[in-house]
Amino acid sequence: EDIASNIDLTDAINRFLRSLPIEQRRVFIMRYWYMSSISDIAISFGMSDSKVISILFRVRNKLKDHLTKEGFDL
């Protein structure tokens, strides 16, 4: 049951990531998959640290809403 639940969660996150604009997706993946620092992400994308922080904040909120709609308890 836990494996099936983990697969469902993984699928929901992947669907969410595919729905994002490419820049938001890349920023999110760099931060939470590759564990890049805010500064490294900002340099990679030519943006300010505050813009990276803002993107990550918004994407996390969207992800929370998406997972709630998909039926996951957070």
PDB file of all heavy atoms in Angstrom, residues 5-29:
ATOM      1  N   SER A   5       1.025   4.224  -2.843  1.00  0.00           N
ATOM      2  CA  SER A   5       0.822   5.614  -2.438  1.00  0.00           C
ATOM      3  C   SER A   5       1.987   6.494  -2.899  1.00  0.00           C
ATOM      4  O   SER A   5       1.782   7.610  -3.373  1.00  0.00           O
ATOM      5  CB  SER A   5       0.670   5.690  -0.921  1.00  0.00           C
ATOM      6  OG  SER A   5       0.373   6.992  -0.519  1.00  0.00           O
ATOM      7  N   ASN A   6       3.205   5.982  -2.778  1.00  0.00           N
ATOM      8  CA  ASN A   6       4.382   6.720  -3.232  1.00  0.00           C
ATOM      9  C   ASN A   6       4.371   6.902  -4.749  1.00  0.00           C
ATOM     10  O   ASN A   6       4.752   7.963  -5.245  1.00  0.00           O
ATOM     11  CB  ASN A   6       5.670   6.017  -2.808  1.00  0.00           C
ATOM     12  CG  ASN A   6       5.968   6.185  -1.337  1.00  0.00           C
ATOM     13  OD1 ASN A   6       5.468   7.091  -0.686  1.00  0.00           O
ATOM     14  ND2 ASN A   6       6.777   5.300  -0.798  1.00  0.00           N
ATOM     15  N   ILE A   7       3.935   5.891  -5.466  1.00  0.00           N
ATOM     16  CA  ILE A   7       3.843   5.992  -6.926  1.00  0.00           C
ATOM     17  C   ILE A   7       2.802   7.039  -7.311  1.00  0.00           C
ATOM     18  O   ILE A   7       3.033   7.856  -8.206  1.00  0.00           O
ATOM     19  CB  ILE A   7       3.523   4.621  -7.552  1.00  0.00           C
ATOM     20  CG1 ILE A   7       4.739   3.697  -7.404  1.00  0.00           C
ATOM     21  CG2 ILE A   7       3.124   4.758  -9.016  1.00  0.00           C
ATOM     22  CD1 ILE A   7       4.474   2.254  -7.775  1.00  0.00           C
ATOM     23  N   ASP A   8       1.662   7.037  -6.618  1.00  0.00           N
ATOM     24  CA  ASP A   8       0.616   8.036  -6.886  1.00  0.00           C
ATOM     25  C   ASP A   8       1.132   9.445  -6.630  1.00  0.00           C
ATOM     26  O   ASP A   8       0.874  10.361  -7.417  1.00  0.00           O
ATOM     27  CB  ASP A   8      -0.620   7.776  -6.023  1.00  0.00           C
ATOM     28  CG  ASP A   8      -1.357   6.510  -6.425  1.00  0.00           C
ATOM     29  OD1 ASP A   8      -1.140   6.020  -7.551  1.00  0.00           O
ATOM     30  OD2 ASP A   8      -2.149   6.017  -5.595  1.00  0.00           O
ATOM     31  N   LEU A   9       1.862   9.621  -5.534  1.00  0.00           N
ATOM     32  CA  LEU A   9       2.418  10.937  -5.207  1.00  0.00           C
ATOM     33  C   LEU A   9       3.444  11.361  -6.260  1.00  0.00           C
ATOM     34  O   LEU A   9       3.429  12.502  -6.720  1.00  0.00           O
ATOM     35  CB  LEU A   9       3.060  10.916  -3.816  1.00  0.00           C
ATOM     36  CG  LEU A   9       3.732  12.217  -3.366  1.00  0.00           C
ATOM     37  CD1 LEU A   9       2.740  13.370  -3.348  1.00  0.00           C
ATOM     38  CD2 LEU A   9       4.365  12.024  -1.986  1.00  0.00           C
ATOM     39  N   THR A  10       4.304  10.441  -6.653  1.00  0.00           N
ATOM     40  CA  THR A  10       5.305  10.736  -7.683  1.00  0.00           C
ATOM     41  C   THR A  10       4.628  11.149  -8.986  1.00  0.00           C
ATOM     42  O   THR A  10       5.034  12.126  -9.625  1.00  0.00           O
ATOM     43  CB  THR A  10       6.210   9.511  -7.923  1.00  0.00           C
ATOM     44  OG1 THR A  10       6.882   9.191  -6.697  1.00  0.00           O
ATOM     45  CG2 THR A  10       7.240   9.784  -8.999  1.00  0.00           C
ATOM     46  N   ASP A  11       3.598  10.432  -9.376  1.00  0.00           N
ATOM     47  CA  ASP A  11       2.861  10.771 -10.602  1.00  0.00           C
ATOM     48  C   ASP A  11       2.219  12.153 -10.503  1.00  0.00           C
ATOM     49  O   ASP A  11       2.256  12.931 -11.461  1.00  0.00           O
ATOM     50  CB  ASP A  11       1.785   9.724 -10.907  1.00  0.00           C
ATOM     51  CG  ASP A  11       2.367   8.407 -11.371  1.00  0.00           C
ATOM     52  OD1 ASP A  11       3.552   8.364 -11.761  1.00  0.00           O
ATOM     53  OD2 ASP A  11       1.616   7.407 -11.339  1.00  0.00           O
ATOM     54  N   ALA A  12       1.651  12.470  -9.355  1.00  0.00           N
ATOM     55  CA  ALA A  12       1.015  13.770  -9.168  1.00  0.00           C
ATOM     56  C   ALA A  12       2.042  14.902  -9.247  1.00  0.00           C
ATOM     57  O   ALA A  12       1.782  15.939  -9.868  1.00  0.00           O
ATOM     58  CB  ALA A  12       0.280  13.816  -7.825  1.00  0.00           C
ATOM     59  N   ILE A  13       3.204  14.698  -8.648  1.00  0.00           N
ATOM     60  CA  ILE A  13       4.255  15.717  -8.703  1.00  0.00           C
ATOM     61  C   ILE A  13       4.758  15.878 -10.132  1.00  0.00           C
ATOM     62  O   ILE A  13       4.960  17.006 -10.600  1.00  0.00           O
ATOM     63  CB  ILE A  13       5.401  15.382  -7.731  1.00  0.00           C
ATOM     64  CG1 ILE A  13       4.902  15.507  -6.285  1.00  0.00           C
ATOM     65  CG2 ILE A  13       6.614  16.282  -7.978  1.00  0.00           C
ATOM     66  CD1 ILE A  13       5.859  14.975  -5.243  1.00  0.00           C
ATOM     67  N   ASN A  14       4.951  14.778 -10.836  1.00  0.00           N
ATOM     68  CA  ASN A  14       5.411  14.859 -12.231  1.00  0.00           C
ATOM     69  C   ASN A  14       4.401  15.581 -13.118  1.00  0.00           C
ATOM     70  O   ASN A  14       4.788  16.389 -13.963  1.00  0.00           O
ATOM     71  CB  ASN A  14       5.723  13.470 -12.781  1.00  0.00           C
ATOM     72  CG  ASN A  14       7.031  12.928 -12.253  1.00  0.00           C
ATOM     73  OD1 ASN A  14       7.942  13.677 -11.929  1.00  0.00           O
ATOM     74  ND2 ASN A  14       7.119  11.615 -12.154  1.00  0.00           N
ATOM     75  N   ARG A  15       3.120  15.311 -12.928  1.00  0.00           N
ATOM     76  CA  ARG A  15       2.091  16.026 -13.692  1.00  0.00           C
ATOM     77  C   ARG A  15       2.155  17.518 -13.400  1.00  0.00           C
ATOM     78  O   ARG A  15       2.062  18.348 -14.303  1.00  0.00           O
ATOM     79  CB  ARG A  15       0.695  15.486 -13.377  1.00  0.00           C
ATOM     80  CG  ARG A  15       0.349  14.192 -14.057  1.00  0.00           C
ATOM     81  CD  ARG A  15      -1.129  13.846 -13.915  1.00  0.00           C
ATOM     82  NE  ARG A  15      -1.594  13.784 -12.533  1.00  0.00           N
ATOM     83  CZ  ARG A  15      -1.475  12.722 -11.743  1.00  0.00           C
ATOM     84  NH1 ARG A  15      -0.894  11.623 -12.194  1.00  0.00           N
ATOM     85  NH2 ARG A  15      -1.952  12.745 -10.516  1.00  0.00           N
ATOM     86  N   PHE A  16       2.328  17.846 -12.141  1.00  0.00           N
ATOM     87  CA  PHE A  16       2.426  19.245 -11.750  1.00  0.00           C
ATOM     88  C   PHE A  16       3.632  19.912 -12.413  1.00  0.00           C
ATOM     89  O   PHE A  16       3.510  20.996 -12.981  1.00  0.00           O
ATOM     90  CB  PHE A  16       2.528  19.367 -10.226  1.00  0.00           C
ATOM     91  CG  PHE A  16       2.885  20.743  -9.769  1.00  0.00           C
ATOM     92  CD1 PHE A  16       1.943  21.754  -9.792  1.00  0.00           C
ATOM     93  CD2 PHE A  16       4.166  21.042  -9.343  1.00  0.00           C
ATOM     94  CE1 PHE A  16       2.267  23.042  -9.395  1.00  0.00           C
ATOM     95  CE2 PHE A  16       4.503  22.317  -8.939  1.00  0.00           C
ATOM     96  CZ  PHE A  16       3.553  23.321  -8.966  1.00  0.00           C
ATOM     97  N   LEU A  17       4.781  19.268 -12.339  1.00  0.00           N
ATOM     98  CA  LEU A  17       5.988  19.851 -12.919  1.00  0.00           C
ATOM     99  C   LEU A  17       5.844  20.063 -14.421  1.00  0.00           C
ATOM    100  O   LEU A  17       6.283  21.082 -14.952  1.00  0.00           O
ATOM    101  CB  LEU A  17       7.204  18.982 -12.611  1.00  0.00           C
ATOM    102  CG  LEU A  17       7.656  18.975 -11.154  1.00  0.00           C
ATOM    103  CD1 LEU A  17       8.769  17.951 -10.949  1.00  0.00           C
ATOM    104  CD2 LEU A  17       8.096  20.353 -10.707  1.00  0.00           C
ATOM    105  N   ARG A  18       5.220  19.116 -15.105  1.00  0.00           N
ATOM    106  CA  ARG A  18       5.018  19.261 -16.557  1.00  0.00           C
ATOM    107  C   ARG A  18       4.084  20.424 -16.884  1.00  0.00           C
ATOM    108  O   ARG A  18       4.159  20.988 -17.975  1.00  0.00           O
ATOM    109  CB  ARG A  18       4.477  17.961 -17.154  1.00  0.00           C
ATOM    110  CG  ARG A  18       5.524  16.884 -17.310  1.00  0.00           C
ATOM    111  CD  ARG A  18       5.014  15.719 -18.147  1.00  0.00           C
ATOM    112  NE  ARG A  18       3.874  15.044 -17.551  1.00  0.00           N
ATOM    113  CZ  ARG A  18       3.932  14.027 -16.708  1.00  0.00           C
ATOM    114  NH1 ARG A  18       5.092  13.539 -16.347  1.00  0.00           N
ATOM    115  NH2 ARG A  18       2.835  13.477 -16.233  1.00  0.00           N
ATOM    116  N   SER A  19       3.244  20.810 -15.941  1.00  0.00           N
ATOM    117  CA  SER A  19       2.293  21.899 -16.192  1.00  0.00           C
ATOM    118  C   SER A  19       2.929  23.281 -16.013  1.00  0.00           C
ATOM    119  O   SER A  19       2.345  24.277 -16.429  1.00  0.00           O
ATOM    120  CB  SER A  19       1.083  21.770 -15.266  1.00  0.00           C
ATOM    121  OG  SER A  19       1.414  22.156 -13.938  1.00  0.00           O
ATOM    122  N   LEU A  20       4.088  23.329 -15.409  1.00  0.00           N
ATOM    123  CA  LEU A  20       4.735  24.617 -15.140  1.00  0.00           C
ATOM    124  C   LEU A  20       5.423  25.174 -16.382  1.00  0.00           C
ATOM    125  O   LEU A  20       5.908  24.408 -17.225  1.00  0.00           O
ATOM    126  CB  LEU A  20       5.813  24.453 -14.057  1.00  0.00           C
ATOM    127  CG  LEU A  20       5.378  24.144 -12.648  1.00  0.00           C
ATOM    128  CD1 LEU A  20       6.602  23.912 -11.772  1.00  0.00           C
ATOM    129  CD2 LEU A  20       4.522  25.262 -12.079  1.00  0.00           C
ATOM    130  N   PRO A  21       5.528  26.496 -16.456  1.00  0.00           N
ATOM    131  CA  PRO A  21       6.389  27.091 -17.485  1.00  0.00           C
ATOM    132  C   PRO A  21       7.821  26.595 -17.277  1.00  0.00           C
ATOM    133  O   PRO A  21       8.250  26.349 -16.141  1.00  0.00           O
ATOM    134  CB  PRO A  21       6.281  28.595 -17.220  1.00  0.00           C
ATOM    135  CG  PRO A  21       4.999  28.759 -16.477  1.00  0.00           C
ATOM    136  CD  PRO A  21       4.829  27.505 -15.666  1.00  0.00           C
ATOM    137  N   ILE A  22       8.555  26.461 -18.355  1.00  0.00           N
ATOM    138  CA  ILE A  22       9.874  25.830 -18.325  1.00  0.00           C
ATOM    139  C   ILE A  22      10.825  26.490 -17.318  1.00  0.00           C
ATOM    140  O   ILE A  22      11.551  25.790 -16.611  1.00  0.00           O
ATOM    141  CB  ILE A  22      10.494  25.752 -19.739  1.00  0.00           C
ATOM    142  CG1 ILE A  22      11.723  24.852 -19.745  1.00  0.00           C
ATOM    143  CG2 ILE A  22      10.830  27.123 -20.276  1.00  0.00           C
ATOM    144  CD1 ILE A  22      11.403  23.403 -19.642  1.00  0.00           C
ATOM    145  N   GLU A  23      10.824  27.812 -17.236  1.00  0.00           N
ATOM    146  CA  GLU A  23      11.748  28.480 -16.315  1.00  0.00           C
ATOM    147  C   GLU A  23      11.426  28.123 -14.865  1.00  0.00           C
ATOM    148  O   GLU A  23      12.329  27.812 -14.084  1.00  0.00           O
ATOM    149  CB  GLU A  23      11.694  29.994 -16.498  1.00  0.00           C
ATOM    150  CG  GLU A  23      12.670  30.741 -15.609  1.00  0.00           C
ATOM    151  CD  GLU A  23      12.620  32.235 -15.825  1.00  0.00           C
ATOM    152  OE1 GLU A  23      11.664  32.885 -15.339  1.00  0.00           O
ATOM    153  OE2 GLU A  23      13.535  32.743 -16.497  1.00  0.00           O
ATOM    154  N   GLN A  24      10.154  28.145 -14.506  1.00  0.00           N
ATOM    155  CA  GLN A  24       9.759  27.787 -13.144  1.00  0.00           C
ATOM    156  C   GLN A  24      10.122  26.340 -12.838  1.00  0.00           C
ATOM    157  O   GLN A  24      10.602  26.030 -11.747  1.00  0.00           O
ATOM    158  CB  GLN A  24       8.261  27.999 -12.950  1.00  0.00           C
ATOM    159  CG  GLN A  24       7.836  29.436 -12.958  1.00  0.00           C
ATOM    160  CD  GLN A  24       6.329  29.591 -12.812  1.00  0.00           C
ATOM    161  OE1 GLN A  24       5.619  28.653 -12.457  1.00  0.00           O
ATOM    162  NE2 GLN A  24       5.836  30.789 -13.101  1.00  0.00           N
ATOM    163  N   ARG A  25       9.882  25.464 -13.803  1.00  0.00           N
ATOM    164  CA  ARG A  25      10.206  24.043 -13.623  1.00  0.00           C
ATOM    165  C   ARG A  25      11.697  23.858 -13.383  1.00  0.00           C
ATOM    166  O   ARG A  25      12.113  23.143 -12.474  1.00  0.00           O
ATOM    167  CB  ARG A  25       9.767  23.254 -14.850  1.00  0.00           C
ATOM    168  CG  ARG A  25      10.013  21.766 -14.714  1.00  0.00           C
ATOM    169  CD  ARG A  25       9.633  20.979 -15.949  1.00  0.00           C
ATOM    170  NE  ARG A  25       8.573  21.594 -16.719  1.00  0.00           N
ATOM    171  CZ  ARG A  25       8.400  21.408 -18.015  1.00  0.00           C
ATOM    172  NH1 ARG A  25       9.204  20.640 -18.709  1.00  0.00           N
ATOM    173  NH2 ARG A  25       7.413  21.988 -18.650  1.00  0.00           N
ATOM    174  N   ARG A  26      12.512  24.515 -14.189  1.00  0.00           N
ATOM    175  CA  ARG A  26      13.966  24.363 -14.059  1.00  0.00           C
ATOM    176  C   ARG A  26      14.476  24.917 -12.735  1.00  0.00           C
ATOM    177  O   ARG A  26      15.337  24.308 -12.093  1.00  0.00           O
ATOM    178  CB  ARG A  26      14.669  25.034 -15.233  1.00  0.00           C
ATOM    179  CG  ARG A  26      14.507  24.256 -16.515  1.00  0.00           C
ATOM    180  CD  ARG A  26      15.215  24.932 -17.656  1.00  0.00           C
ATOM    181  NE  ARG A  26      15.107  24.131 -18.881  1.00  0.00           N
ATOM    182  CZ  ARG A  26      15.385  24.579 -20.071  1.00  0.00           C
ATOM    183  NH1 ARG A  26      15.793  25.833 -20.240  1.00  0.00           N
ATOM    184  NH2 ARG A  26      15.273  23.802 -21.118  1.00  0.00           N
ATOM    185  N   VAL A  27      13.959  26.063 -12.321  1.00  0.00           N
ATOM    186  CA  VAL A  27      14.357  26.643 -11.030  1.00  0.00           C
ATOM    187  C   VAL A  27      13.992  25.680  -9.905  1.00  0.00           C
ATOM    188  O   VAL A  27      14.814  25.390  -9.018  1.00  0.00           O
ATOM    189  CB  VAL A  27      13.701  28.034 -10.825  1.00  0.00           C
ATOM    190  CG1 VAL A  27      13.836  28.500  -9.384  1.00  0.00           C
ATOM    191  CG2 VAL A  27      14.305  29.052 -11.780  1.00  0.00           C
ATOM    192  N   PHE A  28      12.770  25.166  -9.929  1.00  0.00           N
ATOM    193  CA  PHE A  28      12.304  24.250  -8.891  1.00  0.00           C
ATOM    194  C   PHE A  28      13.159  22.986  -8.854  1.00  0.00           C
ATOM    195  O   PHE A  28      13.589  22.540  -7.778  1.00  0.00           O
ATOM    196  CB  PHE A  28      10.837  23.891  -9.145  1.00  0.00           C
ATOM    197  CG  PHE A  28      10.201  23.092  -8.046  1.00  0.00           C
ATOM    198  CD1 PHE A  28       9.659  23.725  -6.945  1.00  0.00           C
ATOM    199  CD2 PHE A  28      10.131  21.710  -8.122  1.00  0.00           C
ATOM    200  CE1 PHE A  28       9.058  22.994  -5.926  1.00  0.00           C
ATOM    201  CE2 PHE A  28       9.535  20.972  -7.116  1.00  0.00           C
ATOM    202  CZ  PHE A  28       9.001  21.619  -6.016  1.00  0.00           C
ATOM    203  N   ILE A  29      13.436  22.405 -10.004  1.00  0.00           N
ATOM    204  CA  ILE A  29      14.227  21.171 -10.068  1.00  0.00           C
ATOM    205  C   ILE A  29      15.667  21.414  -9.616  1.00  0.00           C
ATOM    206  O   ILE A  29      16.241  20.597  -8.888  1.00  0.00           O
ATOM    207  CB  ILE A  29      14.158  20.556 -11.478  1.00  0.00           C
ATOM    208  CG1 ILE A  29      12.750  19.989 -11.699  1.00  0.00           C
ATOM    209  CG2 ILE A  29      15.220  19.479 -11.670  1.00  0.00           C
ATOM    210  CD1 ILE A  29      12.473  19.536 -13.110  1.00  0.00           C
TER     211      ILE A  29
END
